[in-house]
Amino acid sequence: MASKVAVVTGGNKGIGFAIVRGLCKRFEGDVYLTSRDEERGKKAVSELNKEGLSPLYHQLDISDKESVEVFRDFIKEKYGGIDVLVNNAGIAFKDDAKESLAVQAAETLRVNYFSVLTTCEVLFPILRNGARVVNVSSFLGHLSHIKSESLRNRLNDPKLTIPELSELMNQFIEDVKQGIHSDKWANSSYVVSKVGLTALTKIQQRQLNDRDIKVNAVHPGYVDTDLTSHKGTLSIDEGAVAPLFLALDAPDSVRGQYVWCDKRIVDWDGPSPIIVKNHF
């Protein structure tokens, strides 16, 4: 029988790297560290080898559908399916980025929402029954960060479909181009991309309930990574705690949830969670 397999996107550094490390220590099966850049990915594998860990490597660029399809075919042929999928890969523009807000919005949503969606559409058909999917969101992915009540209601509608959600994400991009986004959405494209990812998580869970697949979103904490310009207060291993909990330890009843860095289930549509200083 083929070994069980866990997959982490964007695993060559930061939280993704620490999630791979944690899986290698505890997951009973093969663990794939994937990355867009093959050289960086293989270097990360080498670093974990020095710790006595044995992740496997495969190139995977979530923003390139063909790359995702090549990876799917490889996994399907070798293992038959996926048991754990951690959608960690993502981007964030720096505060001093020179790109226009319109460019930042389009690119951030392209990677953090649309590319994750495409990756899921390609890989979900080979998830094994009982599989676990962890979508790495953010404190900024809490619904309270969207200013418009009507938008919040639409994003939280239990009947919302993926095409309708994608239309909303495209509407944000268009609103940024027209300069009318800040009063309705948020000032940050990253916020909208992570709110979109969390909303997607809830829809995905509804679609996969009949296959006993658990899909959850997680806020990993404010972690010292390139993405936070190393301003984060948590180590990457501390940032991996909640994602690993969802991948390995959470009760089967935890599904379609928004989970905090301390493993608490948080009401996504409720008031903003108690903010631990600098935890986003």
Side-chain angles (χ1 to χ4, degrees), residues 4 53 58 60 81 149 158 162 175 200 229 271 278:
K4 286 190 172 183
L53 303 174
H58 200 287
L60 175 60
E149 182 179 0
I162 290 177
D175 286 349
L200 176 64
S229 299
N278 287 337

Side-chain angles (χ1 to χ4, degrees), residues 113 154 157 159-169:
Y113 173 79
R154 290 187 68 188
D157 186 342
K159 296 181 181 179
L160 184 69
T161 66
I162 290 177
E164 288 169 344
L165 175 58
S166 295
E167 184 178 338
L168 285 171
M169 295 297 100

Side-chain angles (χ1 to χ4, degrees), residues 8 28 93 120 181 183 203 253 276:
V8 181
E28 296 179 357
F93 283 86
C120 291
H181 64 286
D183 290 337
I203 299 172
S253 58
V276 179

Side-chain angles (χ1 to χ4, degrees), residues 11 45 52 54 63 91 117 138 166 228 234 246 255 259-261 269:
V45 167
S54 303
S63 65
I91 65 166
L117 171 59
S138 166
S166 295
T228 64
L234 301 180
L246 289 173
R255 52 182 75 202
V259 176
W260 205 248
C261 55
D269 59 337

